[in-house]
Amino acid sequence: MARTPLIAGNWKMYLSLAESVALGQAVAASCAGLTDREVMIAPTCAVLSTVAGAIADSPVILAAQNVAWEQEGAFTGESSPVTLKDIGVSMAILGHSERRHVFYETDEMVNQRLLGALDFGLKPILCVGELLEDREQGQTFEVVQKQLSKGLQGVTAKQLEQVVVAYEPVWAIGTGKTASKEQAQEVHAFIRGKLATLYEKKLAEKIRILYGGSVKPENVDSLMAQSDIDGALVGGAALNPDSFDRIIHFI
Ligand code: PEP
């Protein structure tokens, strides 16, 4: 079953309001005429509503960089999935390594966020990935498996169809060091195998698994040529309209 590739830009906490609108418009222009792939952007929360207006007439998918697990309540600093949906957000990045390692989000919190996103109709991108020391100690598969199974705890097979997984080795994020295509493919195949064990093979074949970690115009084509790599989650290179345009148009 063919999986539609997804190229996703994570803008992190970069760009002013005006810069965000301009980049949103540039990405929308890059997507003109594209029918065989999906493109998503995740601006910082404060500008989501305005960027939603800027890309309204385009196929660009708007995502949040995180989401609360409750609709409303005393959760200072969090964003409600319902409000996000109201303003045009349809996906959410969850468990990004910066959330896990800078803000100490646990697998349990990521799981709660993911279940909440699904309950309120947002499609989650569940990020998993090992630290450099994990890789050096031969722990990559163990770490990835734990983040995947704990992150998906309580997710039904029907709900899994809405989930995208992103493999992002922490040592490759923002460092300029990309996993080789072989390293990435090996972990992607492992993740798909794990999904087949947790659910079933036919369903695992439908799930998109993105690679993230210093994806650039120079390496996107070879990464995307791997059989289990279904897209890219792009940080730094997503902030430059020309670089992101080239990544969107991977061959
Ligand atoms: C990311 O933020 O998810 C990421 C992969 O960043 P970069 O592309 O800059 O490594």
Side-chain angles (χ1 to χ4, degrees):
M1 197 235 181
R3 298 177 290 267
T4 305
L6 173 63
I7 301 295
N10 172 15
W11 296 0
K12 311 198 187 202
M13 200 177 71
Y14 289 110
L15 306 180
S16 68
L17 180 60
E19 288 166 340
S20 300
V21 168
L23 184 56
Q25 286 166 339
V27 174
S30 288
C31 291
L34 274 187
T35 52
D36 62 344
R37 56 200 72 188
E38 291 181 346
V39 176
M40 184 208 94
I41 55 173
T44 189
C45 195
V47 305
L48 275 171
S49 183
T50 312
V51 173
I55 60 170
D57 295 325
S58 81
V60 178
I61 298 165
L62 191 63
Q65 295 175 14
N66 211 353
V67 64
W69 51 82
E70 294 280 351
Q71 171 170 356
E72 62 178 14
F75 299 106
T76 303
E78 291 285 332
S79 304
S80 160
V82 176
T83 313
L84 289 171
K85 273 204 82 181
D86 274 353
I87 63 175
V89 167
S90 57
M91 296 188 80
I93 300 173
L94 299 175
H96 188 275
S97 79
E98 286 145 24
R99 297 305 314 173
R100 293 179 188 269
H101 299 293
V102 183
F103 296 99
Y104 304 108
E105 287 198 15
T106 61
D107 285 322
E108 288 70 25
M109 289 163 78
V110 174
N111 176 243
Q112 270 188 285
R113 292 186 188 281
L114 187 134
L115 292 171
L118 288 168
D119 275 353
F120 292 105
L122 292 176
K123 293 183 184 171
I125 299 184
L126 171 62
C127 301
V128 299
E130 80 287 1
L131 296 165
L132 183 57
E133 66 222 51
D134 299 325
R135 180 162 279 268
E136 286 173 348
Q137 289 164 14
Q139 302 285 304
T140 298
F141 295 128
E142 208 172 310
V143 169
V144 166
Q145 157 169 344
K146 179 169 158 281
Q147 292 176 343
L148 189 71
S149 56
K150 290 199 165 196
L152 292 175
Q153 191 96 43
V155 173
T156 65
K158 183 97 200 94
Q159 287 175 314
L160 189 74
E161 291 183 20
Q162 304 300 313
V163 176
V164 174
V165 177
Y167 169 56
E168 298 208 301
V170 181
W171 49 271
I173 298 179
T175 58
K177 277 191 221 157
T178 321
S180 68
K181 57 186 193 307
E182 293 83 9
Q183 283 173 320
Q185 167 57 28
E186 185 184 31
V187 181
H188 280 234
F190 172 79
I191 291 172
R192 200 173 307 284
K194 218 57 240 167
L195 290 173
T197 314
L198 290 170
Y199 295 88
E200 59 164 31
K201 192 166 185 299
K202 227 168 124 189
L203 179 54
E205 288 299 324
K206 288 192 198 167
I207 305 304
R208 290 181 290 184
I209 307 173
L210 315 183
Y211 169 77
S214 298
V215 174
K216 303 182 261 270
E218 301 78 51
N219 57 27
V220 66
D221 297 338
S222 61
L223 286 162
M224 288 303 296
Q226 304 307 302
S227 57
D228 287 293
I229 299 185
D230 309 311
L233 181 51
V234 188
L239 297 173
N240 178 301
D242 296 331
S243 298
F244 198 56
D245 178 80
R246 174 61 185 85
I247 293 171
I248 290 171
H249 291 93
F250 73 86
I251 304 156

